[in-house]
Structures are given as C-alpha cells and as structure tokens.
Amino acid sequence: MTTPWSDLRCIACARRYPATEVRYRCDCGDLLEVRHDLNRLRAESPDLRRRFDERRSIQTGPHASGVWRYHELVLPDLPIDSVVTCGEGNTPLYASAALSAAFDTADLALKHEGENPTLSFKDRGMTSGVSWAQHLGVSHVACASTGDTSAAMAAYAAHARGLEAVVFLPHEKVSPEQLAQPIVYGARTLALDTDFDGCMRLVQAVCERHPIYLLNSMNSFRLEGQKTIGLEVCQQRDWRAPDWFVIPVGNAGNVSALGKGMLEAHALGLIDRLPRIAGVQAKAADPLYRGFQGGFRERVRMDAGETLATAIRIGDPVSHDKAARIIQRFHGVVESVEEAELMDAKAAADRAGVAVCPNSGVALAGLRKLRAAGTIPADASVVVILTAHGMKFSQVDVAYHTGALAHCPPTHPNAPEPIAASIEAVCSTLGLG
Ligand SMILES: *Cc1c(COP(=O)(O)O)cnc(C)c1O
Ligand SMILES: [Zn+2]
C-alpha cells in the first residue's frame, strides 16, 4: 500500500486521524481539516501551474470540472476515475463599467457561483463530499440545509452509485425553487418545525447514532472541493490573487475553505501573494461580525432573526473557529448589513445584467460599506463571490420590484404593467403617441 497523501488534523491540538476514518471532530471536540502532504506534492509535481493550465482545454471527463482540474490539491488519494462530478465550476467572472460604477470599484469582478449545476457554490463541496462518501462505501448521506446544500447533496447522490440521501430542512424557510430540488432528485426530504440551527443539531445527533454519513460543511472533505472557487479565480486572473475577496458568511465553511485554498496555493508557489478577505453577514444573523468586533476573544452565538438572506440565516456557525482563524490570518474584516442595503446592492447588480441572490446581495452591500469607509481602497482589485443564482429566489425579486417589501422600498422599481391587449393601449403606455 502506498503512503496516503492526506490525513485529518485537528485545528486546535494538531492530533491526526486517518482520512478514511469517519469522524467530523477531534476527540478534544474541535474541528478537523484535511491536510495534504504539500512538500511531497511540490517535489513530485514542480509544474502544477502548467498542468492546471493545460487542463483548461479539456472538454470532457472529470479533469474538465472546475473542481477536479485541481485534483492533486483536492483529494489526491481518490482515483480521478471514481469521482462523482456534474461538470461543476468553470463559472464566469463578470466585470463591466456598469458594475464598477454601481460599486465605486474600478477593478471589480463578480465570481458567479450561481452558474453551477444546482445553481449554487455548494456543488463544488458536494462533488468532493459525495465522491468521498462513495469511496468510503457508505449507504446513506444526510445534511441540514438552508436550501442550497440539500439541493446539491440530492443531485450528487443521485449521480452516485447506491447512495440514499436524507435532507433536514427548516419547514417553510427555504424558497420554492430550493424545496423543489431535493424532491425531484429523489432525496427523503424532512421539513422540520425549527430553524436551520435546530436542523443542524438534529442531523448531527442522528448521524452519531446511526451509520449515516454527514455532509454538512463540518465534513472537512466538502471544504476541499469548495476551496477551488479561490483557485479558479486566481487561475482566471493569470495566477494573480485579487487584493480582496468579499464573501457572504452563514455557516462559515466557504470563507474557511477559500482561505485554506489560498494558503496552499501560496505554499505551492501557484500565487505569489495572499489576498485579504472580507466576510459579510446580514444584521439579523451576524454572530461572526459581533465576534470580530471583540477581536474574536469570545465566540458569539445568537438566535437568527428574520432576513431575506435566508441561506445565511444562521446564528451559530459550525465552522466559526476555522473562519475566525482565516479572517485573522488574512488581515481580514467582517461587516454586517441591513435588509434595505442588501436589496439595494442586489438590485444594482441585477440591473447590470447579473442575476444576484439576496445572500450575495449581502456581500455586495458589504463591499459598498467597506469602500465608503476606505477599508477597501478605490484602486484595489476586488472579487465578490456570488454564492447562488438569483432565480432561486424569484419570489423575493417580484416582491421587491412590486413594492411588496415594506422594509425595503425599491430605489428603481420595475413592476410589470398590466394593460389592455390592444395596439392603442401598448402605444399610449410606451408614449408612442
Ligand atoms: C450556503 C450559502 C451561503 C453561506 O455559505 P457558508 O459556507 O455557510 O458560510 C451563502 N450563500 C448561499 C446562497 C448559500 O447557499
Ligand atoms: Zn483536537
């Protein structure tokens, strides 16, 4: 047997466990992360940049995926032929004069992770998480979700061999589009009379007692796929990291993964400097922001209040400790925004032709605030991660533009105009005389 490339390591006490052991926490109670042997990778593959660049011209098979292009950095112990992929990643960077003007940032790009197979960035983590689950030979996978994790898990489980999926959703707290996804992909869909944090506690308890593999982001193998967002952005920018990444934060897995990927890319010489990272939360659920205000000396937990950013309505983020370390390591900041601010920012990007979800609107509103405060200077290169597609939340869009959201009056409403089906009515409405 060859020496494995990766193991699991505790982020607090550094204790190690084999990667093939099913465990989500260290015996000391803290979070685990997947550690790859980067020295060996550097020695055996000194030409990683070129290899990754060459794979960009591949059109089919696992290496064509925007996750598995970086196979050596994601799950090197998993044979490339046994990954479960839907061709995720390879998402665009939107940049335009209109977007730059709307956010007062000359060098701005929006990384649209909503253009993934199930319309959110969760596909990147699920391709690695479900591939690992299949590799371990488990029969059942489960997750709690604010809507997008369950959609992704259900889809990838349907692509895998012999994997049954069970999702735990907070009843009536996900959008109709998000609810439809696990149903059509054949997952057992439990709608629980609680919030996300309640679902999270329950799914952990069930997975502890029964042989069901937990695929929330406390499963470190998901973060390995998720971190490729940052790698792909750097590769799209000719291996230059932006000055800033701006990212919405819920359970804090994404921000933790992004940072981990950047540290590894830096250690391997793929990029020559590290970006800074800004995490942004909605005021109704901003425990990481509150912790940041206190220098992360204390972990803040809260009951999440109502917000249109339902995918990040989380009061007790599972990856809190990882995220706090990453924010500090990257000289990062955490910002918090109001409902009207996030909807205004979302509407501005929508108007520029990019379909933004309310959760990503949180990141864009955070950018506005950080620009106004001068934390992010006008000449900085900035990449904002858009986490899901706007069309997963179409009810919010219609409500906003028809003025049905009392606390978020639209700045530029564009409601449909009901008129008679006659040439006169059309011409007079359009002012054509
Ligand atoms: C999951 C999710 C987030 C939050 O990501 P975390 O890793 O939980 O911080 C943000 N936006 C959308 C659309 C999501 O689905
Ligand atoms: Zn430990």
mmCIF file with all atom_site columns, all heavy atoms in Angstrom, residues 120-122 146 148-149 226 248-255 311-312 314 357 359 387-388, ligand 1:
data_model
loop_
_atom_site.group_PDB
_atom_site.id
_atom_site.type_symbol
_atom_site.label_atom_id
_atom_site.label_alt_id
_atom_site.label_comp_id
_atom_site.label_asym_id
_atom_site.label_entity_id
_atom_site.label_seq_id
_atom_site.pdbx_PDB_ins_code
_atom_site.Cartn_x
_atom_site.Cartn_y
_atom_site.Cartn_z
_atom_site.occupancy
_atom_site.B_iso_or_equiv
_atom_site.pdbx_formal_charge
_atom_site.auth_seq_id
_atom_site.auth_comp_id
_atom_site.auth_asym_id
_atom_site.auth_atom_id
_atom_site.pdbx_PDB_model_num
ATOM   1   N N   . SER A 1 120 ? -25.800 26.857 -7.170 1.00 0.00 ? 120 SER A N   1
ATOM   2   C CA  . SER A 1 120 ? -25.090 27.495 -6.058 1.00 0.00 ? 120 SER A CA  1
ATOM   3   C C   . SER A 1 120 ? -23.682 26.919 -5.944 1.00 0.00 ? 120 SER A C   1
ATOM   4   O O   . SER A 1 120 ? -23.381 25.874 -6.532 1.00 0.00 ? 120 SER A O   1
ATOM   5   C CB  . SER A 1 120 ? -25.830 27.314 -4.727 1.00 0.00 ? 120 SER A CB  1
ATOM   6   O OG  . SER A 1 120 ? -25.426 26.104 -4.092 1.00 0.00 ? 120 SER A OG  1
ATOM   7   N N   . PHE A 1 121 ? -22.842 27.603 -5.152 1.00 0.00 ? 121 PHE A N   1
ATOM   8   C CA  . PHE A 1 121 ? -21.456 27.135 -4.978 1.00 0.00 ? 121 PHE A CA  1
ATOM   9   C C   . PHE A 1 121 ? -21.389 25.803 -4.248 1.00 0.00 ? 121 PHE A C   1
ATOM   10  O O   . PHE A 1 121 ? -20.349 25.153 -4.239 1.00 0.00 ? 121 PHE A O   1
ATOM   11  C CB  . PHE A 1 121 ? -20.639 28.190 -4.216 1.00 0.00 ? 121 PHE A CB  1
ATOM   12  C CG  . PHE A 1 121 ? -20.853 28.186 -2.727 1.00 0.00 ? 121 PHE A CG  1
ATOM   13  C CD1 . PHE A 1 121 ? -20.066 27.402 -1.891 1.00 0.00 ? 121 PHE A CD1 1
ATOM   14  C CD2 . PHE A 1 121 ? -21.846 28.964 -2.151 1.00 0.00 ? 121 PHE A CD2 1
ATOM   15  C CE1 . PHE A 1 121 ? -20.263 27.394 -0.515 1.00 0.00 ? 121 PHE A CE1 1
ATOM   16  C CE2 . PHE A 1 121 ? -22.048 28.954 -0.777 1.00 0.00 ? 121 PHE A CE2 1
ATOM   17  C CZ  . PHE A 1 121 ? -21.267 28.166 0.043  1.00 0.00 ? 121 PHE A CZ  1
ATOM   18  N N   . LYS A 1 122 ? -22.479 25.379 -3.603 1.00 0.00 ? 122 LYS A N   1
ATOM   19  C CA  . LYS A 1 122 ? -22.463 24.140 -2.825 1.00 0.00 ? 122 LYS A CA  1
ATOM   20  C C   . LYS A 1 122 ? -22.099 22.929 -3.685 1.00 0.00 ? 122 LYS A C   1
ATOM   21  O O   . LYS A 1 122 ? -21.670 21.903 -3.165 1.00 0.00 ? 122 LYS A O   1
ATOM   22  C CB  . LYS A 1 122 ? -23.816 23.921 -2.147 1.00 0.00 ? 122 LYS A CB  1
ATOM   23  C CG  . LYS A 1 122 ? -24.236 25.000 -1.152 1.00 0.00 ? 122 LYS A CG  1
ATOM   24  C CD  . LYS A 1 122 ? -23.332 25.045 0.063  1.00 0.00 ? 122 LYS A CD  1
ATOM   25  C CE  . LYS A 1 122 ? -23.920 25.760 1.278  1.00 0.00 ? 122 LYS A CE  1
ATOM   26  N NZ  . LYS A 1 122 ? -24.437 27.106 1.075  1.00 0.00 ? 122 LYS A NZ  1
ATOM   27  N N   . THR A 1 146 ? -30.039 25.283 4.601  1.00 0.00 ? 146 THR A N   1
ATOM   28  C CA  . THR A 1 146 ? -30.894 26.450 4.409  1.00 0.00 ? 146 THR A CA  1
ATOM   29  C C   . THR A 1 146 ? -31.387 26.465 2.954  1.00 0.00 ? 146 THR A C   1
ATOM   30  O O   . THR A 1 146 ? -31.892 27.467 2.482  1.00 0.00 ? 146 THR A O   1
ATOM   31  C CB  . THR A 1 146 ? -30.143 27.766 4.728  1.00 0.00 ? 146 THR A CB  1
ATOM   32  O OG1 . THR A 1 146 ? -28.927 27.797 3.949  1.00 0.00 ? 146 THR A OG1 1
ATOM   33  C CG2 . THR A 1 146 ? -29.792 27.867 6.192  1.00 0.00 ? 146 THR A CG2 1
ATOM   34  N N   . ASP A 1 148 ? -29.629 25.304 -0.185 1.00 0.00 ? 148 ASP A N   1
ATOM   35  C CA  . ASP A 1 148 ? -28.724 25.003 -1.292 1.00 0.00 ? 148 ASP A CA  1
ATOM   36  C C   . ASP A 1 148 ? -27.877 23.751 -1.054 1.00 0.00 ? 148 ASP A C   1
ATOM   37  O O   . ASP A 1 148 ? -27.587 22.999 -1.988 1.00 0.00 ? 148 ASP A O   1
ATOM   38  C CB  . ASP A 1 148 ? -27.816 26.206 -1.562 1.00 0.00 ? 148 ASP A CB  1
ATOM   39  C CG  . ASP A 1 148 ? -28.614 27.382 -2.114 1.00 0.00 ? 148 ASP A CG  1
ATOM   40  O OD1 . ASP A 1 148 ? -29.614 27.136 -2.810 1.00 0.00 ? 148 ASP A OD1 1
ATOM   41  O OD2 . ASP A 1 148 ? -28.251 28.541 -1.836 1.00 0.00 ? 148 ASP A OD2 1
ATOM   42  N N   . THR A 1 149 ? -27.485 23.503 0.188  1.00 0.00 ? 149 THR A N   1
ATOM   43  C CA  . THR A 1 149 ? -26.714 22.294 0.487  1.00 0.00 ? 149 THR A CA  1
ATOM   44  C C   . THR A 1 149 ? -27.540 21.054 0.148  1.00 0.00 ? 149 THR A C   1
ATOM   45  O O   . THR A 1 149 ? -27.044 20.099 -0.455 1.00 0.00 ? 149 THR A O   1
ATOM   46  C CB  . THR A 1 149 ? -26.326 22.265 1.980  1.00 0.00 ? 149 THR A CB  1
ATOM   47  O OG1 . THR A 1 149 ? -25.546 23.427 2.265  1.00 0.00 ? 149 THR A OG1 1
ATOM   48  C CG2 . THR A 1 149 ? -25.512 21.033 2.322  1.00 0.00 ? 149 THR A CG2 1
ATOM   49  N N   . GLN A 1 226 ? -14.780 22.900 -2.113 1.00 0.00 ? 226 GLN A N   1
ATOM   50  C CA  . GLN A 1 226 ? -15.235 24.285 -2.028 1.00 0.00 ? 226 GLN A CA  1
ATOM   51  C C   . GLN A 1 226 ? -14.096 25.289 -2.221 1.00 0.00 ? 226 GLN A C   1
ATOM   52  O O   . GLN A 1 226 ? -14.292 26.356 -2.774 1.00 0.00 ? 226 GLN A O   1
ATOM   53  C CB  . GLN A 1 226 ? -15.869 24.488 -0.661 1.00 0.00 ? 226 GLN A CB  1
ATOM   54  C CG  . GLN A 1 226 ? -17.081 25.354 -0.675 1.00 0.00 ? 226 GLN A CG  1
ATOM   55  C CD  . GLN A 1 226 ? -17.997 24.963 0.478  1.00 0.00 ? 226 GLN A CD  1
ATOM   56  O OE1 . GLN A 1 226 ? -18.678 23.951 0.419  1.00 0.00 ? 226 GLN A OE1 1
ATOM   57  N NE2 . GLN A 1 226 ? -17.977 25.750 1.518  1.00 0.00 ? 226 GLN A NE2 1
ATOM   58  N N   . PRO A 1 248 ? -20.171 36.349 1.283  1.00 0.00 ? 248 PRO A N   1
ATOM   59  C CA  . PRO A 1 248 ? -21.220 36.290 2.317  1.00 0.00 ? 248 PRO A CA  1
ATOM   60  C C   . PRO A 1 248 ? -20.975 35.103 3.248  1.00 0.00 ? 248 PRO A C   1
ATOM   61  O O   . PRO A 1 248 ? -20.511 34.056 2.795  1.00 0.00 ? 248 PRO A O   1
ATOM   62  C CB  . PRO A 1 248 ? -22.510 36.091 1.516  1.00 0.00 ? 248 PRO A CB  1
ATOM   63  C CG  . PRO A 1 248 ? -22.095 35.422 0.251  1.00 0.00 ? 248 PRO A CG  1
ATOM   64  C CD  . PRO A 1 248 ? -20.675 35.871 -0.027 1.00 0.00 ? 248 PRO A CD  1
ATOM   65  N N   . VAL A 1 249 ? -21.304 35.269 4.520  1.00 0.00 ? 249 VAL A N   1
ATOM   66  C CA  . VAL A 1 249 ? -20.975 34.241 5.515  1.00 0.00 ? 249 VAL A CA  1
ATOM   67  C C   . VAL A 1 249 ? -22.233 33.766 6.248  1.00 0.00 ? 249 VAL A C   1
ATOM   68  O O   . VAL A 1 249 ? -22.987 34.566 6.795  1.00 0.00 ? 249 VAL A O   1
ATOM   69  C CB  . VAL A 1 249 ? -19.970 34.785 6.552  1.00 0.00 ? 249 VAL A CB  1
ATOM   70  C CG1 . VAL A 1 249 ? -19.723 33.759 7.646  1.00 0.00 ? 249 VAL A CG1 1
ATOM   71  C CG2 . VAL A 1 249 ? -18.652 35.161 5.878  1.00 0.00 ? 249 VAL A CG2 1
ATOM   72  N N   . GLY A 1 250 ? -22.429 32.441 6.259  1.00 0.00 ? 250 GLY A N   1
ATOM   73  C CA  . GLY A 1 250 ? -23.515 31.839 7.033  1.00 0.00 ? 250 GLY A CA  1
ATOM   74  C C   . GLY A 1 250 ? -22.931 30.876 8.041  1.00 0.00 ? 250 GLY A C   1
ATOM   75  O O   . GLY A 1 250 ? -22.623 31.236 9.178  1.00 0.00 ? 250 GLY A O   1
ATOM   76  N N   . ASN A 1 251 ? -22.716 29.630 7.607  1.00 0.00 ? 251 ASN A N   1
ATOM   77  C CA  . ASN A 1 251 ? -22.103 28.625 8.467  1.00 0.00 ? 251 ASN A CA  1
ATOM   78  C C   . ASN A 1 251 ? -20.586 28.762 8.484  1.00 0.00 ? 251 ASN A C   1
ATOM   79  O O   . ASN A 1 251 ? -19.899 28.060 9.211  1.00 0.00 ? 251 ASN A O   1
ATOM   80  C CB  . ASN A 1 251 ? -22.493 27.230 7.968  1.00 0.00 ? 251 ASN A CB  1
ATOM   81  C CG  . ASN A 1 251 ? -23.071 26.369 9.061  1.00 0.00 ? 251 ASN A CG  1
ATOM   82  O OD1 . ASN A 1 251 ? -23.103 26.744 10.225 1.00 0.00 ? 251 ASN A OD1 1
ATOM   83  N ND2 . ASN A 1 251 ? -23.511 25.191 8.692  1.00 0.00 ? 251 ASN A ND2 1
ATOM   84  N N   . ALA A 1 252 ? -20.068 29.627 7.616  1.00 0.00 ? 252 ALA A N   1
ATOM   85  C CA  . ALA A 1 252 ? -18.650 29.999 7.564  1.00 0.00 ? 252 ALA A CA  1
ATOM   86  C C   . ALA A 1 252 ? -17.733 28.930 6.978  1.00 0.00 ? 252 ALA A C   1
ATOM   87  O O   . ALA A 1 252 ? -16.521 29.000 7.125  1.00 0.00 ? 252 ALA A O   1
ATOM   88  C CB  . ALA A 1 252 ? -18.147 30.439 8.945  1.00 0.00 ? 252 ALA A CB  1
ATOM   89  N N   . GLY A 1 253 ? -18.318 27.965 6.279  1.00 0.00 ? 253 GLY A N   1
ATOM   90  C CA  . GLY A 1 253 ? -17.493 26.963 5.601  1.00 0.00 ? 253 GLY A CA  1
ATOM   91  C C   . GLY A 1 253 ? -16.791 27.550 4.385  1.00 0.00 ? 253 GLY A C   1
ATOM   92  O O   . GLY A 1 253 ? -15.614 27.289 4.130  1.00 0.00 ? 253 GLY A O   1
ATOM   93  N N   . ASN A 1 254 ? -17.512 28.358 3.628  1.00 0.00 ? 254 ASN A N   1
ATOM   94  C CA  . ASN A 1 254 ? -16.977 28.898 2.383  1.00 0.00 ? 254 ASN A CA  1
ATOM   95  C C   . ASN A 1 254 ? -15.764 29.795 2.634  1.00 0.00 ? 254 ASN A C   1
ATOM   96  O O   . ASN A 1 254 ? -14.739 29.682 1.965  1.00 0.00 ? 254 ASN A O   1
ATOM   97  C CB  . ASN A 1 254 ? -18.081 29.687 1.672  1.00 0.00 ? 254 ASN A CB  1
ATOM   98  C CG  . ASN A 1 254 ? -17.894 29.751 0.173  1.00 0.00 ? 254 ASN A CG  1
ATOM   99  O OD1 . ASN A 1 254 ? -17.090 29.006 -0.399 1.00 0.00 ? 254 ASN A OD1 1
ATOM   100 N ND2 . ASN A 1 254 ? -18.633 30.629 -0.469 1.00 0.00 ? 254 ASN A ND2 1
ATOM   101 N N   . VAL A 1 255 ? -15.875 30.664 3.618  1.00 0.00 ? 255 VAL A N   1
ATOM   102 C CA  . VAL A 1 255 ? -14.766 31.579 3.896  1.00 0.00 ? 255 VAL A CA  1
ATOM   103 C C   . VAL A 1 255 ? -13.561 30.791 4.436  1.00 0.00 ? 255 VAL A C   1
ATOM   104 O O   . VAL A 1 255 ? -12.402 31.062 4.090  1.00 0.00 ? 255 VAL A O   1
ATOM   105 C CB  . VAL A 1 255 ? -15.217 32.713 4.854  1.00 0.00 ? 255 VAL A CB  1
ATOM   106 C CG1 . VAL A 1 255 ? -15.454 32.245 6.264  1.00 0.00 ? 255 VAL A CG1 1
ATOM   107 C CG2 . VAL A 1 255 ? -14.244 33.869 4.853  1.00 0.00 ? 255 VAL A CG2 1
ATOM   108 N N   . ALA A 1 311 ? -30.386 31.954 3.115  1.00 0.00 ? 311 ALA A N   1
ATOM   109 C CA  . ALA A 1 311 ? -29.337 30.926 3.043  1.00 0.00 ? 311 ALA A CA  1
ATOM   110 C C   . ALA A 1 311 ? -28.232 31.165 4.074  1.00 0.00 ? 311 ALA A C   1
ATOM   111 O O   . ALA A 1 311 ? -27.424 30.275 4.325  1.00 0.00 ? 311 ALA A O   1
ATOM   112 C CB  . ALA A 1 311 ? -28.729 30.875 1.636  1.00 0.00 ? 311 ALA A CB  1
ATOM   113 N N   . ILE A 1 312 ? -28.206 32.360 4.651  1.00 0.00 ? 312 ILE A N   1
ATOM   114 C CA  . ILE A 1 312 ? -27.187 32.645 5.674  1.00 0.00 ? 312 ILE A CA  1
ATOM   115 C C   . ILE A 1 312 ? -27.843 33.042 6.993  1.00 0.00 ? 312 ILE A C   1
ATOM   116 O O   . ILE A 1 312 ? -27.258 33.744 7.812  1.00 0.00 ? 312 ILE A O   1
ATOM   117 C CB  . ILE A 1 312 ? -26.158 33.713 5.201  1.00 0.00 ? 312 ILE A CB  1
ATOM   118 C CG1 . ILE A 1 312 ? -26.847 34.992 4.735  1.00 0.00 ? 312 ILE A CG1 1
ATOM   119 C CG2 . ILE A 1 312 ? -25.303 33.152 4.083  1.00 0.00 ? 312 ILE A CG2 1
ATOM   120 C CD1 . ILE A 1 312 ? -25.853 36.107 4.385  1.00 0.00 ? 312 ILE A CD1 1
ATOM   121 N N   . ILE A 1 314 ? -28.144 32.025 10.011 1.00 0.00 ? 314 ILE A N   1
ATOM   122 C CA  . ILE A 1 314 ? -27.516 31.061 10.913 1.00 0.00 ? 314 ILE A CA  1
ATOM   123 C C   . ILE A 1 314 ? -26.933 31.808 12.108 1.00 0.00 ? 314 ILE A C   1
ATOM   124 O O   . ILE A 1 314 ? -26.132 32.735 11.936 1.00 0.00 ? 314 ILE A O   1
ATOM   125 C CB  . ILE A 1 314 ? -26.410 30.279 10.160 1.00 0.00 ? 314 ILE A CB  1
ATOM   126 C CG1 . ILE A 1 314 ? -27.043 29.438 9.031  1.00 0.00 ? 314 ILE A CG1 1
ATOM   127 C CG2 . ILE A 1 314 ? -25.615 29.389 11.119 1.00 0.00 ? 314 ILE A CG2 1
ATOM   128 C CD1 . ILE A 1 314 ? -26.052 28.761 8.112  1.00 0.00 ? 314 ILE A CD1 1
ATOM   129 N N   . CYS A 1 357 ? -28.552 36.692 -5.930 1.00 0.00 ? 357 CYS A N   1
ATOM   130 C CA  . CYS A 1 357 ? -29.486 36.253 -4.884 1.00 0.00 ? 357 CYS A CA  1
ATOM   131 C C   . CYS A 1 357 ? -29.341 37.168 -3.666 1.00 0.00 ? 357 CYS A C   1
ATOM   132 O O   . CYS A 1 357 ? -28.337 37.879 -3.537 1.00 0.00 ? 357 CYS A O   1
ATOM   133 C CB  . CYS A 1 357 ? -29.222 34.799 -4.507 1.00 0.00 ? 357 CYS A CB  1
ATOM   134 S SG  . CYS A 1 357 ? -27.734 34.544 -3.518 1.00 0.00 ? 357 CYS A SG  1
ATOM   135 N N   . ASN A 1 359 ? -28.534 36.587 -0.683 1.00 0.00 ? 359 ASN A N   1
ATOM   136 C CA  . ASN A 1 359 ? -27.347 36.266 0.124  1.00 0.00 ? 359 ASN A CA  1
ATOM   137 C C   . ASN A 1 359 ? -26.095 36.909 -0.466 1.00 0.00 ? 359 ASN A C   1
ATOM   138 O O   . ASN A 1 359 ? -25.254 37.441 0.243  1.00 0.00 ? 359 ASN A O   1
ATOM   139 C CB  . ASN A 1 359 ? -27.194 34.752 0.202  1.00 0.00 ? 359 ASN A CB  1
ATOM   140 C CG  . ASN A 1 359 ? -28.538 34.093 0.441  1.00 0.00 ? 359 ASN A CG  1
ATOM   141 O OD1 . ASN A 1 359 ? -29.090 34.205 1.522  1.00 0.00 ? 359 ASN A OD1 1
ATOM   142 N ND2 . ASN A 1 359 ? -29.103 33.483 -0.599 1.00 0.00 ? 359 ASN A ND2 1
ATOM   143 N N   . THR A 1 387 ? -22.892 33.607 -4.391 1.00 0.00 ? 387 THR A N   1
ATOM   144 C CA  . THR A 1 387 ? -22.958 32.219 -3.952 1.00 0.00 ? 387 THR A CA  1
ATOM   145 C C   . THR A 1 387 ? -24.074 31.405 -4.603 1.00 0.00 ? 387 THR A C   1
ATOM   146 O O   . THR A 1 387 ? -23.973 30.181 -4.679 1.00 0.00 ? 387 THR A O   1
ATOM   147 C CB  . THR A 1 387 ? -23.102 32.172 -2.425 1.00 0.00 ? 387 THR A CB  1
ATOM   148 O OG1 . THR A 1 387 ? -24.079 33.141 -2.026 1.00 0.00 ? 387 THR A OG1 1
ATOM   149 C CG2 . THR A 1 387 ? -21.789 32.488 -1.749 1.00 0.00 ? 387 THR A CG2 1
ATOM   150 N N   . ALA A 1 388 ? -25.154 32.062 -5.018 1.00 0.00 ? 388 ALA A N   1
ATOM   151 C CA  . ALA A 1 388 ? -26.239 31.319 -5.672 1.00 0.00 ? 388 ALA A CA  1
ATOM   152 C C   . ALA A 1 388 ? -26.846 32.154 -6.781 1.00 0.00 ? 388 ALA A C   1
ATOM   153 O O   . ALA A 1 388 ? -26.591 33.366 -6.889 1.00 0.00 ? 388 ALA A O   1
ATOM   154 C CB  . ALA A 1 388 ? -27.320 30.929 -4.664 1.00 0.00 ? 388 ALA A CB  1
HETATM 155 C C1  . LIG B 2 .   ? -24.516 28.154 1.943  1.00 0.00 ? 1   LIG B C1  1
HETATM 156 C C2  . LIG B 2 .   ? -24.685 29.500 1.387  1.00 0.00 ? 1   LIG B C2  1
HETATM 157 C C3  . LIG B 2 .   ? -24.003 30.619 1.881  1.00 0.00 ? 1   LIG B C3  1
HETATM 158 C C4  . LIG B 2 .   ? -23.143 30.562 3.096  1.00 0.00 ? 1   LIG B C4  1
HETATM 159 O O1  . LIG B 2 .   ? -22.007 29.769 2.974  1.00 0.00 ? 1   LIG B O1  1
HETATM 160 P P1  . LIG B 2 .   ? -21.320 29.241 4.316  1.00 0.00 ? 1   LIG B P1  1
HETATM 161 O O2  . LIG B 2 .   ? -20.273 28.324 3.864  1.00 0.00 ? 1   LIG B O2  1
HETATM 162 O O3  . LIG B 2 .   ? -22.401 28.547 5.078  1.00 0.00 ? 1   LIG B O3  1
HETATM 163 O O4  . LIG B 2 .   ? -20.820 30.434 5.039  1.00 0.00 ? 1   LIG B O4  1
HETATM 164 C C5  . LIG B 2 .   ? -24.161 31.839 1.263  1.00 0.00 ? 1   LIG B C5  1
HETATM 165 N N1  . LIG B 2 .   ? -24.962 31.969 0.203  1.00 0.00 ? 1   LIG B N1  1
HETATM 166 C C6  . LIG B 2 .   ? -25.647 30.927 -0.303 1.00 0.00 ? 1   LIG B C6  1
HETATM 167 C C7  . LIG B 2 .   ? -26.531 31.175 -1.468 1.00 0.00 ? 1   LIG B C7  1
HETATM 168 C C8  . LIG B 2 .   ? -25.534 29.673 0.258  1.00 0.00 ? 1   LIG B C8  1
HETATM 169 O O5  . LIG B 2 .   ? -26.227 28.657 -0.247 1.00 0.00 ? 1   LIG B O5  1
#
